[in-house]
């Protein structure tokens, strides 16, 4: 059985260990409401997404880049007519997101506890270093992980680098995450294993239409189901 060769299990963080995307969607809705006098909500949301995509190569992922994109999008939507009060509200929205309490995904604590008795566990995520470290500490999950990997983006190159750093082969590595684009496809492409646990809300940028048919791929409804085969 190929699964018997697995030595290291890596877990994505946002929306795999704890809730994250829900806060972004709420912030987007509030942003569109604030700018509704300038532009209909649907159009404002599209413009915000376009600004985020333009800024992604420069700013990367996370709440702080998102806040900068909120301000830039607001300037474009209002043609520079936005008030300082609105700028302050958008900055405060970003700070509110950074202060949100950590809500663990159901069953993840027990799943990590039991898996950590048999495997080396790694947290492999992308985003802002300070924010992800903060969330990990607040989550209470830190002690389950042998290694923490926080990168600007998840690519085949980054996964190969991680596998090499862990001193294992690709066939001994398993990635668990909610994003097909970031957590699954690049991992399968390097010959490792990838398990998908969907989250009810997915950022448009992370959506893919690919139907995955791969011997190293499996999908689960919740994290605790991993314990039935690992």
């Amino acid at each position: 059985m190929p699964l018997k060769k697995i030595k290291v299990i890596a877990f994505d963080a946002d929306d795999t260990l704890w809730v994250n995307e829900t806060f972004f969607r709420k912030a987007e809705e509030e942003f569109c409401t604030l700018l509704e006098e300038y532009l209909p909500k649907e159009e404002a949301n599209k413009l915000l997404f376009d600004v985020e995509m333009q800024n992604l190569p420069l700013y990367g992922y996370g709440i702080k880049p998102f806040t900068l994109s909120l301000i830039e999008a607001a300037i474009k939507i209002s043609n520079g007519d936005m008030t300082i009060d609105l700028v302050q509200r958008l900055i405060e929205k970003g700070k509110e997101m950074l202060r949100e309490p950590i809500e663990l995904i159901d069953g993840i604590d027990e799943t990590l506890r039991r898996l950590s008795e048999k495997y080396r566990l790694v947290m492999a995520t992308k985003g802002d270093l300070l924010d992800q470290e903060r969330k990990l500490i607040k989550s209470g999950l830190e002690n389950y992980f042998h290694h923490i990997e926080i990168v600007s983006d998840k690519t085949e190159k980054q996964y190969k680098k991680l596998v090499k750093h862990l001193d294992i082969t690709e066939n001994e590595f398993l990635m668990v995450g909610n994003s097909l684009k970031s957590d699954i496809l690049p991992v399968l492409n390097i010959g490792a294993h990838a398990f998908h646990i969907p989250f009810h809300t997915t950022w448009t940028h992370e959506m893919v239409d690919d139907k995955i048919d791969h011997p190293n791929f499996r999908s689960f409804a919740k994290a605790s189901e991993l314990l039935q085969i690992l």
Side-chain angles (χ1 to χ4, degrees), residues 71-84:
I71 296 170
E72 182 178 341
I75 292 172
K76 289 186 176 183
I77 290 172
S78 67
N79 291 316
D81 192 39
M82 64 189 290
T83 64
I84 292 299

Side-chain angles (χ1 to χ4, degrees), residues 24-176:
F24 282 86
R25 298 293 75 77
K26 180 181 177 183
E28 286 176 356
E29 291 175 9
E30 293 178 9
F31 170 84
C32 293
T33 298
L34 287 172
L35 276 298
E36 195 171 15
E37 64 177 284
Y38 297 102
L39 198 64
K41 289 184 178 181
E42 187 174 336
E43 294 179 38
N45 193 56
K46 183 181 182 305
L47 189 147
L48 172 59
F49 179 75
D50 290 342
V51 170
E52 287 184 84
M53 292 302 98
Q54 291 167 11
N55 288 337
L56 201 55
L58 186 63
Y59 295 154
Y61 297 86
I63 293 172
K64 285 177 276 188
F66 176 70
T67 304
L68 289 172
S69 290
L70 288 179
I71 296 170
E72 182 178 341
I75 292 172
K76 289 186 176 183
I77 290 172
S78 67
N79 291 316
D81 192 39
M82 64 189 290
T83 64
I84 292 299
D85 179 63
L86 179 54
V87 176
Q88 291 175 330
R89 290 176 72 176
L90 295 177
I91 292 173
E92 184 55 35
K93 170 49 60 179
K95 290 181 178 180
E96 286 175 10
M97 293 174 71
L98 289 168
R99 292 193 293 261
E100 287 285 356
I102 299 300
E103 179 185 345
L104 295 181
I105 300 295
D106 186 45
I108 196 65
D109 192 303
E110 175 68 6
T111 300
L112 293 178
R113 183 187 67 79
R114 291 176 58 182
L115 289 176
S116 66
E117 296 171 354
K118 299 169 59 179
Y119 303 92
R120 275 192 290 163
L121 301 188
V122 169
M123 188 184 89
T125 189
K126 62 186 178 184
D128 178 74
L129 176 63
L130 182 63
D131 188 32
Q132 295 294 43
E133 288 181 336
R134 173 191 61 84
K135 287 190 285 189
L136 177 59
I137 293 170
K138 290 177 68 175
S139 73
L141 303 175
E142 186 177 13
N143 290 337
Y144 293 129
F145 295 107
H146 166 81
H147 175 72
I148 308 300
E149 189 83 5
I150 302 173
V151 297
S152 58
D153 202 359
K154 289 177 176 175
T155 62
E156 292 178 29
K157 182 179 179 180
Q158 287 288 358
Y159 281 115
K160 287 180 179 179
K161 184 178 178 181
L162 175 58
V163 168
K164 183 178 180 180
H165 175 76
L166 294 168
D167 195 26
I168 57 174
T169 64
E170 285 79 359
N171 199 40
E172 295 171 327
F173 179 79
L174 165 63
M175 180 70 194
V176 178

